[in-house]
Amino acid sequence: MTRVLVFGAGGVGCVYAYILHKAGVSVTAVCRTNYTVVKDKGITIRSKIFGRQHFQPTAVRTVSEALEHGPFDYILVCSKAFPGTAEMIKDAVTPRQTAIVLAQNGIGVEEDYAKLYPDNPIISGVVYLPVTQVEPGIVEHGPLERFEIGTYPPNAPSAAKQSCQTISDLYKAGGGSAPVFDDVQPQKWIKVAVNVAWNPTTALTMCDDANYLRSSPRAEKMIRKVMREVASIATAAGYPDVITDEVIERDIQRPISRLETGGKEPSMLTDVREGRAMEVEAIVGNTLRIGEKHGVVTPYLEILYTLAKGRSYAIAPDGEWKPIARHG
């Protein structure tokens, strides 16, 4: 039986744990605030796709505690992408055996894992999963579920490619969707362009996406300019014609379509409201640094990064980030 350790049992981790559980996988989940509920009562998912489901993975508080349930074929990292997260799974990584699957936001997040675990398959993913853990062990999931995956680097050995295909097959067996890309980085650039534009902007303005667009005739123009700056960085990094005008227009139309029905609250805005640390470095900082490395001038991105860092400092001035489970 395939053994998977889910690191970060927030909304995303709970739904992915359910999909793998349904596929017949032995699932162990590292839980934080929801540990007692998950251990005693399991996880309940109210999903637009899967319906109402209940299951009970093996719940543990720490990676060290999980070792008695290993060794693990896969570690699925669903926590927020904070500096130092890669080191937190090390006790459960079996060299040359455990494949590390990253269900995390941002760009360039794979590098820390590749440095620490050079002999292990690294599988990077792009998560499309509207999900919220409304209370410990209770998850609400919307009408979308797609996990786009591929090896890191794209030219990884055949064994890593096979590990990637196997986890994709397990998702399919569990009723999920995890299409494999020969190179998943273009998909990551598209997602990070959206996140860079909307996440810090809404967190700083305290507006959801629709209310932000209502706020000023310049609001939409600024989002477009930020996304075009990310497009320039992607081009310089070797991925031209990925973040096209069509991609930008398609993204802009989503919040425009919600102007009458109500906006969406990106994760950074939720983090600010709840006093949690934001993924500023993984999403905005890494993007900015890649641009600087290639000599790309990005004034809007630089301003967003600087202000978002200030907002983060106001939330946690000691700078001591601790990885927490993502809610979507």
Side-chain angles (χ1 to χ4, degrees), residues 113-279:
Y113 295 88
K115 290 176 183 177
L116 284 171
Y117 315 110
D119 298 323
N120 292 79
I122 307 294
I123 300 166
S124 193
V126 182
V127 176
Y128 291 101
L129 193 74
V131 63
T132 303
Q133 188 166 203
V134 294
E135 58 184 273
I138 308 293
V139 174
E140 292 186 350
H141 170 224
L144 175 65
E145 182 278 312
R146 182 175 171 87
F147 186 31
E148 300 173 340
I149 60 175
T151 61
Y152 180 87
N155 62 346
S158 59
K161 295 289 186 183
Q162 183 57 55
S163 292
C164 189
Q165 186 59 56
T166 298
I167 195 72
S168 175
D169 293 342
L170 287 169
Y171 265 72
K172 184 176 180 180
S177 173
V180 175
F181 290 78
D182 288 336
D183 185 354
V184 77
Q185 292 304 311
Q187 315 309 122
K188 292 188 71 68
W189 277 110
I190 290 171
K191 180 72 179 288
V192 83
V194 174
N195 280 338
V196 165
W198 287 106
N199 265 288
T201 299
T202 56
L204 291 165
T205 61
M206 300 298 288
C207 291
D208 64 31
D209 54 6
N211 277 327
Y212 170 72
L213 290 178
R214 292 188 190 101
S215 69
S216 164
R218 296 179 182 270
E220 180 182 328
K221 294 178 181 178
M222 186 186 130
I223 293 294
R224 292 180 185 274
K225 288 177 180 178
V226 174
M227 292 188 74
R228 290 193 180 105
E229 287 187 351
V230 179
S232 297
I233 296 171
T235 297
Y239 292 97
D241 303 320
V242 169
I243 307 166
T244 62
D245 287 342
E246 289 77 15
V247 168
I248 294 172
E249 185 62 33
R250 185 171 68 242
D251 176 68
I252 289 288
Q253 287 304 315
R254 291 192 184 100
I256 288 176
S257 71
R258 293 191 286 263
L259 285 173
E260 300 302 323
T261 59
K264 176 184 175 183
E265 188 170 288
S267 61
M268 279 192 190
L269 174 54
T270 303
D271 290 338
V272 170
R273 291 193 194 282
E274 298 186 9
R276 300 191 306 239
M278 302 183 292
E279 295 172 289

Side-chain angles (χ1 to χ4, degrees), residues 6 8-15 29-44 56-57 59-61 133-139 325-327:
V6 176
V12 171
C14 286
V15 172
V30 179
C31 304
R32 293 180 67 252
T33 57
N34 58 358
Y35 168 76
T36 300
V37 172
V38 174
K39 181 178 182 295
D40 294 343
K41 299 180 180 180
I43 295 169
T44 298
Q56 192 150 12
V60 297
R61 291 187 181 90
Q133 188 166 203
V134 294
E135 58 184 273
I138 308 293
V139 174
R326 288 202 297 121
H327 294 281

Side-chain angles (χ1 to χ4, degrees), residues 111 152 189 233 236-237 285-298:
E111 292 182 7
Y152 180 87
W189 277 110
I233 296 171
N286 284 359
T287 307
L288 178 63
R289 284 184 284 273
I290 293 170
E292 290 174 339
K293 175 182 175 181
H294 292 281
V296 181
V297 179
T298 54

